[in-house]
Amino acid sequence: MVLATFRRKIKAGLLTILFSSIAVWFYFYKEMNIAIMSMVLLIFAAAIMTYGLAAACFAEYISSKLSSEKLAFLARFLMHVLFGLILIRGEFLVVYSLGASLIFFCVDEILRARGNHVARHDLIGE
């Protein structure tokens, strides 16, 4: 169970790197060249696969201690927002960190729902 959760977090992190980089490219497409985009991708990769992955695992651990699924969902969301605000003193950088954090949260929740659907499907035998 823990290994499956960690695999889901890794998938969510990799997809978040991709989606965050695409979002930055769409916003700055006129100023972007391949060198700058490569740097953005590397920075997102490093930040998301270290800090973001650790924060998401911590949020998962805390939310697993809660009895209500709605409360657990809210706790995960709030922790992602809180951890996404790490660069709040960095003026516009907080937009990137919070954006990536929210993308990570959404991707992870979609993967969680998809995984639960697949698990129920296998259990029922349909």
Side-chain angles (χ1 to χ4, degrees), residues 6 9-10 19 22 29 35 41 52 56 62 86 89 95 114:
F6 192 68
K9 297 291 183 191
I10 294 288
F19 295 149
I22 290 170
Y29 73 94
L41 185 66
I62 296 298
I86 189 166
R89 290 194 174 249
V95 173
R114 189 173 148 243

Side-chain angles (χ1 to χ4, degrees), residues 21-34 36-37:
S21 298
I22 290 170
V24 168
W25 182 81
F26 273 121
Y27 190 75
F28 291 110
Y29 73 94
K30 289 183 181 178
E31 292 91 21
M32 283 282 182
N33 63 31
I34 194 71
I36 294 172
M37 193 60 210

Side-chain angles (χ1 to χ4, degrees), residues 9-27 32 37-38 40-49 96 99-101 103-104 107:
K9 297 291 183 191
I10 294 288
K11 284 181 190 177
L14 293 172
L15 288 169
T16 301
I17 292 166
L18 177 66
F19 295 149
S20 298
S21 298
I22 290 170
V24 168
W25 182 81
F26 273 121
Y27 190 75
M32 283 282 182
M37 193 60 210
S38 298
V40 167
L41 185 66
L42 286 173
I43 291 168
F44 273 127
I48 290 168
M49 295 311 283
Y96 299 118
S101 177
I103 290 170
F104 195 117
V107 169

Side-chain angles (χ1 to χ4, degrees), residues 28-79:
F28 291 110
Y29 73 94
K30 289 183 181 178
E31 292 91 21
M32 283 282 182
N33 63 31
I34 194 71
I36 294 172
M37 193 60 210
S38 298
M39 290 302 297
V40 167
L41 185 66
L42 286 173
I43 291 168
F44 273 127
I48 290 168
M49 295 311 283
T50 56
Y51 176 79
L53 192 59
C57 288
F58 180 72
E60 184 80 22
Y61 173 75
I62 296 298
S63 70
S64 71
K65 302 296 182 191
L66 301 171
S67 59
S68 166
E69 183 56 37
K70 289 181 181 179
L71 190 58
F73 176 84
L74 181 62
R76 285 189 303 271
F77 174 76
L78 291 175
M79 282 189 264

